[in-house]
Amino acid sequence: MGMDAELATATQAPRTLQALDKRRHQRVKVNILGRYMLEDRREYPCQVIDMSPGGMALIAPVSGQVGERIVAYLDQMSRVEGKITRTFDGGFAVELRNSVRKRDKIASILTWLANKEALDLPEDRRHDRFIPKNTLTRIKLPDGTEHTCRISDLSLSGAAISTDLDVEAGDAIEIGKMSARVVRRIEGGIAVEFGEVQNRDLLERTITVDPKELKS
């Protein structure tokens, strides 16, 4: 009888933890493109339609089996992995199984996307790009290291930076005195997005670095 009670408690605990986890991980409506790989190593394109640090639902041309492990490479998120928990018409849902660090990173990106949606911030491509008179800038990475780079082009909501630094989509960085987030890697560098739309004159003064400062 005592063992039965212990078994009931043991089986009940994970359900309770899962329920708490679901409440903590509120789903965010998103539109994230990527690719996923099933256990047989077949790859397909996909579109994530909602996501939390603990799970996601995606539209996909081929659904795996419930319980099957998948690995996905998503724009802004980089690599995520988990197992299929259910299928639906045109796609399936996944329980994500990532490290604490990766979950925190996903939460940060989802917060960024949710705030951007709430503020109705325009996409970078809606703003005209230009090349500042001074293209020199300094990037500060999450680990605190600083690196001198060049601005390839600039808009009021983002920039293309020429660099070979090892950064991933979703990384929060500083460019000059501006906070930004890496959106994706591009040929010869990275594309970043600012938290809010900027004033052009102020932007140039904030993001660029005087070459004299680097010599001192």
Side-chain angles (χ1 to χ4, degrees), residues 4 14 32 57 76 90-91 93 105 111 120 123 175 183 185 196 198:
D4 289 342
I32 300 175
Q76 304 176 340
K105 184 172 181 179
T111 300
D120 195 25
E123 295 291 337
I175 304 177
V183 177
R185 295 203 63 87
E196 57 186 37
Q198 304 296 315

Side-chain angles (χ1 to χ4, degrees), residues 25-39:
H25 291 164
Q26 184 176 358
R27 292 291 180 98
V28 175
K29 297 292 184 182
V30 294
N31 180 12
I32 300 175
L33 301 179
R35 298 186 65 81
Y36 67 98
M37 181 172 66
L38 299 173
E39 287 184 356

